[in-house]
Amino acid sequence: DGGITQSPKYLFRKEGQNVTLSCEQNLNHDAMYWYRQDPGQGLRLIYYSQIVNDFQKGDIAEGYSVSREKKESFPLTVTSAQKNPTAFYLCASLPRREANYGYTFGSGTRLTVV
Amino acid sequence: QKEVEQNSGPLSVPEGAIASLNCTYSDRGSQSFFWYRQYSGKSPELIMFIYSNGDKEDGRFTAQLNKASQYVSLLIRDSQPSDSATYLCAVISYTGGFKTIFGAGTRLFVKA
């Protein structure tokens, strides 16, 4: 079955540490997205990518970085510059960026600073 | 003013009743509207989308859109305890470029 796989499900980060969240899709979708969800807030866009080797900042990109070396993969790195990284991170995809469809979401990664 | 507003709830309804969830949006350039269901600790899943004014029905779910009044609603008929979740409204705006904006969600609790 096609879908999006996110790993790990839970991740603990120490102060000053960089961590990378994995997102892999087998839907053959061109567009991929990273969202952050905090309690009581809507999903906020971190980064998105429309094609391989291209990505754009979203509304809250500071302290994050991404790469898109393969169509299937869109990993997110949470750097030490992100001062409040504890949140639920969601990877999503669309057939193409302008597609007028709802997102397919991965199962999410819950990141906690320890 | 938030771009997409939802009552945070919780909205509590008895089993078998109709649950009515509402969402308002500020951008008149918005064209597409989505409802996602999110169970606690899980990721959102798409349950309905609507593009045109009026009603759209899918099983026990009905989405209603009124672009003039800038609101979209979701009705859940014959509510079940398994419908207890947070419902997220999402709006695609084309003003200033293609952008999806999410509301913070409404928590629904269906009492058995």
Side-chain angles (χ1 to χ4, degrees):
Chain A
D1 288 336
I4 299 177
T5 301
Q6 287 188 246
S7 63
K9 188 170 184 176
Y10 298 97
L11 186 57
F12 298 92
R13 192 193 93 165
K14 295 181 180 179
E15 294 285 346
Q17 189 178 43
N18 293 354
V19 292
T20 297
L21 285 58
S22 171
C23 176
E24 302 277 335
Q25 55 102 353
N26 61 2
L27 299 165
N28 200 33
H29 284 179
D30 287 328
M32 297 186 73
Y33 303 78
W34 276 105
Y35 281 94
R36 169 178 172 146
Q37 187 176 35
D38 295 278
Q41 297 193 40
L43 276 65
R44 293 183 292 167
L45 182 63
I46 305 172
Y47 268 99
Y48 66 92
S49 169
Q50 300 181 70
I51 57 173
V52 174
N53 293 323
D54 184 64
F55 47 83
Q56 305 295 328
K57 292 182 179 180
D59 299 320
I60 56 165
E62 185 175 350
Y64 300 98
S65 66
V66 293
S67 63
R68 187 88 185 274
E69 297 176 1
K70 299 185 301 182
K71 185 175 183 177
E72 302 78 19
S73 179
F74 191 41
L76 173 74
T77 296
V78 185
T79 74
S80 57
Q82 173 48 241
K83 297 307 178 188
N84 184 23
T86 295
F88 189 41
Y89 290 85
L90 291 159
C91 181
S93 71
L94 285 171
R96 61 188 189 284
R97 180 168 180 252
E98 301 293 330
N100 206 12
Y101 313 127
Y103 287 116
T104 298
F105 283 97
S107 57
T109 293
R110 194 165 298 277
L111 174 62
T112 304
V113 175
V114 295
Chain B
Q1 180 187 9
K2 290 183 179 178
E3 294 176 276
V4 177
E5 291 205 57
Q6 297 181 255
N7 188 319
S8 63
L11 173 66
S12 184
V13 299
E15 184 176 0
I18 295 175
S20 178
L21 305 164
N22 299 311
C23 172
T24 59
Y25 59 94
S26 59
D27 184 0
R28 285 194 173 274
S30 301
Q31 297 293 325
S32 307
F33 308 85
F34 303 85
W35 284 100
Y36 293 84
R37 177 176 61 200
Q38 186 174 25
Y39 292 113
S40 181
K42 304 296 185 183
S43 60
E45 57 178 325
L46 180 69
I47 53 173
M48 289 286 289
F49 60 87
I50 186 166
Y51 307 142
S52 304
N53 275 329
D55 295 0
K56 179 181 179 182
E57 188 174 315
D58 183 1
R60 295 187 296 114
F61 298 100
T62 298
Q64 300 176 316
L65 175 62
N66 184 323
K67 289 186 178 180
S69 299
Q70 294 176 245
Y71 82 78
V72 56
S73 61
L74 179 70
L75 302 178
I76 305 175
R77 290 182 299 282
D78 188 24
S79 295
Q80 301 297 310
S82 59
D83 295 325
S84 297
T86 296
Y87 289 80
L88 306 177
C89 173
V91 174
I92 293 181
S93 170
Y94 293 89
T95 303
F98 179 93
K99 184 176 182 180
T100 300
I101 304 167
F102 285 85
T106 298
R107 284 182 57 204
L108 173 66
F109 179 60
V110 181
K111 298 176 291 184

